[in-house]
Amino acid sequence: SEECVRSDEGWRCAVGPVVESNVYGGERYDARREQAGWSTKDFCDVGWEEVVVMDGPGGRMEEQCIPPIRVVERLRPVSVRRMGRGRYIVDMGQNFAGWVRIRVRGERGRAIRLRFAERLDEGGELDPATTGVAATGVEQVDTYICRGEGVEEWEPRFTYHGFRYVEVSGWPGELKGDEVSGAVVHTDLKVAGGFECSDERLNMLHRMAVWTHRSNVHSVPEDCPTRERCGWLGDANVVAEYSLWNFDSASFWKKYLDDIETTRSLHGGLPCNIAPGKRTCGMARADWALAFVMIPWYVYVHTGEVGVLRDHWEGMDTLMRHLAGMARGGLLEDGFGDWCEPGSPGYVKNTPVTLTTSAWFSRAACVMSKVATMVGEGGSAAWYRDLGERVRGAIRERYLDAVRWTFGSQTGNVLAVEFGIVEEDEAVRVVESLVEDLRGHGMHLTTGIMGVRYIFEVLSRYGRGEEALAILHEDSYPSFGDMIKRGATTLWEGWGEPEGDESGGVCSLNHPMKGGYDNWFYTTLGGIVPDEREAGFRHVWFGAKPVAGVEWVRVWHETGLGRFESAWWREGKELVWEVRVPEGGRGTVVLPYSGRTELIGAGRHILREEEVVGEVK
């Protein structure tokens, strides 16, 4: 049977208790306006008004094949501090995205006001500057007006905030910790990976990366949960892989690729800087646009689903051929560059934009040569191989100092090695130059989000894992340790530069784009690397690279086949390595000191090898 329920002029309406709501500004709820039973069939709507019929939104309704946004966790305050009569500062102990639920007994008409911020000022008062007040023109504020009937419980429904601290004002009596709680709210991605080790600094950095990502998935991969909440393509490119390691997020990223598709009609088939939404910020800069090539590849490698490549081949090909037409002598000069280097978020100093954009272009050309064959466009494969070779040659010609074997910066050297711009025997020399640069900067990074993504894996691959570890243990500015010393529980947009300098002012304190280091925990310390030739983890390379100072490591990752696990620990002079492979999977273990390889099938495998100091392959 079929029944049609029409929304027409026969419907009636009334003002409800949600009297104001804005996704940036917050929600105002007047409990005095509640009408019991209003949604039941027997409710009497006498006194309600006639509706005004509006035009429909148009477009085409499509299913979103991703988990819904839910309250996934409840947090209790770590402290409640009285600031004055009826006014308190509540510390949730964690920067996150969501809202606050209250339990209050107050007289009718009492207004409880909740203000949100990521930090406090020097006087211990709420400082909302990092939440984007300058951009949005509003603070994040929720207000609840009591109906005056016993204990009332409330939390908003049509807004969310990015915060750690809450100022509660108008509270009747003394606010107790069990009367306020934090609701962690995001797209409910299933956890699909885990990392832990003997080094608590690394565990903390892993938790920070995961919390930052969780704070920034609300149907789209956001840049921050406060000021913008936008799906910037460049940010998404450096976040997607560590997202896929930690969460069952392939459907989320496929949905985001469809969002990118919706922006292409605005610029002749080319994507916008942001997807989706009205704030697209124009046609994408070249390096940001290349996310539209790379993200389908990341999803394919993790899932083995060729369909994601077929679905977006036309757009990927259109973009790449457009960029090839823009290139001058094989190089692309357009881009945002190695975003948020220390001292100058948004203004590239250390690595030329042309170098970083062209490096990504060469990488994308390599990917496209493989994708072309997979999707039945074999005629394009050779063209893309040739394009990649031309771009790599042009980068070498302009930027390689063949005397000092450097591309002029940490990020330049890292991308040159990671993207195959130098040959294998040359890469060793470039890594030596990279290490020399790091030592010259006191083991501080000079990289933005692109260098952070790959520097740790590159160092470890060439036997420099101790330098990678030293970077993450550095505690002075600029470093992740400096963020932690200053109270960070999530990753920052900048590196903690003084506000009002050339960085452009106040930065967000919950920005996932620097979290690319989290890949290192899975692929290098844990040593689980999917084989792109047998994508979807049908074959895995196990290549753990132990680091002096780390006594044990455990990682796991849930795939379509089941769970892969890798754990190693030290027993005297021996390294013991346990590997688990699910049914249907295969692996090749590369022992870290001898380089000996061993083919393994499904099951649990124990391998032992005598440690040789300083000789990790």
Side-chain angles (χ1 to χ4, degrees), residues 415-536:
L415 296 187
V417 173
E418 180 67 26
F419 294 166
I421 295 166
V422 291
E423 301 297 331
E424 190 64 23
D425 59 330
E426 299 170 327
V428 176
R429 299 180 181 181
V430 176
V431 171
E432 288 300 318
S433 180
L434 170 62
V435 171
E436 182 180 343
D437 186 292
L438 282 164
R439 289 174 176 166
H441 286 91
M443 301 312 292
H444 291 96
L445 293 170
T446 62
T447 64
I449 62 176
M450 296 177 182
V452 166
R453 166 61 190 90
Y454 295 110
I455 190 169
F456 303 99
E457 288 161 297
V458 165
L459 286 169
S460 292
R461 192 181 309 139
Y462 289 89
R464 294 293 188 167
E466 291 184 27
E467 280 81 1
L469 188 64
I471 294 169
L472 295 177
H473 274 277
E474 178 56 52
D475 286 334
S476 59
Y477 170 86
S479 69
F480 293 108
D482 182 54
M483 291 184 195
I484 293 170
K485 282 171 55 180
R486 294 161 68 178
T489 60
T490 47
L491 300 172
W492 296 352
E493 180 181 13
W495 290 94
E497 291 77 12
E499 292 169 11
D501 68 1
E502 61 182 306
S503 70
V506 182
C507 290
S508 154
L509 303 184
N510 199 338
H511 240 75
M513 62 188 185
K514 285 192 176 73
Y517 65 78
D518 200 60
N519 293 278
W520 183 62
F521 300 145
Y522 286 96
T523 65
T524 308
L525 284 186
I528 302 177
V529 180
D531 185 348
E532 66 180 45
R533 294 170 299 181
E534 296 188 50

Side-chain angles (χ1 to χ4, degrees), residues 18 64 150 225 241 275 367 556 602 606:
V18 181
Q64 281 194 88
E241 287 176 283
V367 166
W556 62 270
I606 299 289

Side-chain angles (χ1 to χ4, degrees), residues 573-617:
K573 294 183 178 181
E574 276 193 324
L575 182 83
V576 184
W577 189 6
E578 179 180 352
V579 173
R580 291 178 183 265
V581 178
E583 290 296 328
R586 298 180 300 110
T588 299
V589 176
V590 183
L591 293 171
Y593 298 103
S594 65
R596 180 172 61 85
T597 63
E598 185 172 327
L599 299 175
I600 59 174
R604 174 176 176 264
H605 307 268
I606 299 289
L607 304 104
R608 294 175 178 269
E609 185 175 39
E610 185 171 343
E611 292 191 71
V612 182
V613 177
E615 294 190 14
V616 174
K617 298 294 182 181

Side-chain angles (χ1 to χ4, degrees), residues 367-442:
V367 166
M368 290 293 285
S369 68
K370 301 171 185 176
V371 174
T373 301
M374 295 180 192
V375 301
E377 297 287 343
S380 296
W383 187 84
Y384 277 114
R385 279 195 298 273
D386 291 343
L387 174 63
E389 290 175 5
R390 291 199 305 273
V391 176
R392 287 189 290 274
I395 294 171
R396 289 174 61 99
E397 183 176 351
R398 179 179 294 190
Y399 293 107
L400 175 60
D401 178 345
V403 175
R404 296 189 300 126
W405 283 98
T406 180
F407 286 77
S409 70
Q410 292 176 14
T411 292
N413 289 336
V414 166
L415 296 187
V417 173
E418 180 67 26
F419 294 166
I421 295 166
V422 291
E423 301 297 331
E424 190 64 23
D425 59 330
E426 299 170 327
V428 176
R429 299 180 181 181
V430 176
V431 171
E432 288 300 318
S433 180
L434 170 62
V435 171
E436 182 180 343
D437 186 292
L438 282 164
R439 289 174 176 166
H441 286 91

